[in-house]
């Protein structure tokens, strides 16, 4: 009967009994050490903390992807506002010019359009420009702004989403989608960590 190689630590020991005392067998904790205590394997790591207070990463040093995307979307909204304002100004100018045309004065459809005040069309264009300027201001402040910029951006996004639904339903659909995404990205935890980070 063979008991295997006596020099092989993985083979069955002579005598057919496990080792007692001394060096423990393979895969077993040393005798006398209670179970549940780290002995073999990897050492235990400290608990992971997401940001600050001595966590592994500390406060974010670069703008998170969601916040960067929200910033780009603010610039896109500003671009749409400039285009919308330009269209309003051109429409108002076209209405003013058409009012002077004697051929159109007898046209009933044009009379309905001419009744619409051109000053109100210009006013909508100015409001569109101002709304775009607010979007640009917020986007610029993302780099160094604090929690106030975060809150202002969320308020801006909510109002933009509502205005996109009513009264500018078809034109404002893109605005609504962008505004909802901006609010979500800024409100997320990484957005909060970015805007609440310590400034030196």
């Amino acid at each position: 009967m063979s008991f295997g190689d006596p020099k092989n630590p993985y083979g069955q020991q002579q005598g057919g009994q496990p080792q007692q005392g001394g060096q423990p067998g393979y895969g077993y904790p040393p005798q006398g050490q209670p179970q549940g205590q780290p002995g073999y394997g990897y050492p235990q790591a400290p608990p992971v903390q997401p940001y600050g207070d001595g966590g592994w990463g500390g406060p974010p040093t670069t703008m998170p992807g969601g916040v960067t995307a929200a910033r780009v979307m603010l610039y896109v909204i500003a671009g749409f506002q400039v285009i919308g304002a330009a269209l309003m100004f051109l429409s108002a100018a076209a209405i003013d010019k058409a009012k002077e045309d004697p051929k159109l004065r007898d046209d009933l459809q044009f009379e309905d359009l001419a009744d619409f005040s051109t000053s109100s069309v210009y006013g909508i264009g100015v409001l569109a420009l101002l709304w775009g300027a607010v979007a640009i201001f917020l986007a610029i402040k993302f780099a160094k702004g604090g929690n106030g910029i975060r809150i202002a951006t969320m308020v801006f996004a909510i109002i933009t989403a509502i205005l996109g639904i009513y009264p500018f339903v078809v034109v404002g659909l893109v605005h609504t989608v962008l505004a909802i995404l901006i609010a979500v990205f800024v409100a997320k935890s990484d957005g909060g960590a970015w805007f609440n980070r310590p400034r030196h």
Side-chain angles (χ1 to χ4, degrees):
M1 190 162 151
S2 171
F3 291 105
D5 185 3
K7 295 180 182 176
N8 182 359
Y10 302 109
Q12 184 178 4
Q13 299 296 320
Q14 288 187 2
Q17 296 187 6
Q19 280 184 312
Q20 302 290 329
Q23 186 177 8
Y26 178 75
Y28 296 99
Q31 291 192 358
Q33 181 175 348
Q35 296 290 334
Q37 297 251 344
Y40 288 101
Y42 296 104
Q44 289 187 341
V48 176
Q49 299 174 2
Y51 297 111
D53 299 331
W56 59 271
T61 55
T62 58
M63 195 179 296
V67 177
T68 304
R71 186 182 198 190
V72 170
M73 290 177 200
L74 283 170
Y75 284 123
V76 170
I77 285 178
F80 282 141
Q81 294 301 112
V82 170
I83 293 169
L87 290 174
M88 288 294 169
F89 294 148
L90 289 173
S91 299
I95 292 171
D96 276 341
K97 188 172 183 180
K99 282 181 181 179
E100 298 170 3
D101 189 351
K103 294 177 185 176
L104 293 175
R105 286 183 186 166
D106 297 333
D107 189 348
L108 295 175
Q109 291 179 346
F110 178 72
E111 282 183 20
D112 293 338
L113 181 62
D115 287 341
F116 194 68
S117 172
T118 54
S119 59
S120 61
V121 177
Y122 281 119
I124 292 171
V126 170
L127 287 176
L129 280 180
L130 290 176
W131 202 247
V134 171
I136 291 172
F137 171 78
L138 291 172
I140 290 170
K141 289 293 184 180
F142 267 37
K144 296 184 179 178
N147 200 42
I149 293 297
R150 179 183 184 216
I151 293 169
T153 303
M154 285 191 283
V155 170
F156 174 86
I158 291 167
I159 294 172
T160 301
I162 292 169
L163 290 175
I165 294 170
Y166 181 81
F168 307 108
V169 180
V170 177
V171 178
L173 186 61
V174 176
H175 281 75
T176 300
V177 172
L178 290 175
I180 290 170
L181 290 173
I182 290 168
V184 168
F185 288 147
V186 172
K188 282 172 51 179
S189 59
D190 58 350
W194 173 254
F195 287 104
N196 290 316
R197 74 195 185 283
R199 280 142 184 92
H200 304 290

